[in-house]
Amino acid sequence: MFIIFVTYQKPLEEVDAHLAAHIAFLKENYAKGTFLASGRQNPRTGGIILARASSKQELEALVTHDPFYVHRVATYTVTEFIPSMTAPELTFLADC
């Protein structure tokens, strides 16, 4: 299981110019089963993506295709963690 921290590097006007393409990138990876949850940080300084993959390197390569990365409006930090406890409705996360 991985958490991808997305940190905006440009003004929100530039971020918003690439938002539709970024959302398409997210939807594509939800459809593949790679992304499990995502959303904006509050305050709006970036976002968080909860993901599963076979390796950190795989996700680091994947995010280079995100329009936010391509247009250099955001940076990415991929952090791996192993869920050791979950709420009952999230037990499937232990298998990620």
Side-chain angles (χ1 to χ4, degrees):
M1 169 93 26
F2 298 86
I3 299 174
I4 303 169
F5 297 90
V6 181
T7 305
Y8 298 149
Q9 301 297 307
K10 302 287 183 176
L12 289 177
E13 295 77 27
E14 275 190 69
V15 172
D16 288 342
H18 302 286
L19 188 57
H22 169 71
I23 291 170
F25 169 80
L26 293 174
K27 287 180 178 181
E28 176 184 331
N29 285 286
Y30 274 107
K32 292 178 182 176
T34 303
F35 293 168
L36 302 173
S38 60
R40 293 178 176 170
Q41 294 180 35
N42 188 21
R44 192 174 171 205
T45 57
I48 302 289
I49 303 169
L50 186 61
R52 57 179 156 196
S54 60
S55 71
K56 181 178 179 178
Q57 293 77 18
E58 178 183 330
L59 283 177
E60 289 172 336
L62 176 65
V63 299
T64 66
H65 300 284
D66 186 337
F68 282 179
Y69 181 94
V70 171
H71 297 283
R72 298 182 180 192
V73 298
T75 58
Y76 296 75
T77 303
V78 178
T79 302
E80 184 173 7
F81 80 103
I82 300 168
S84 57
M85 187 180 299
T86 66
E89 58 272 34
L90 298 176
T91 56
F92 73 94
L93 293 177
D95 296 329
C96 291

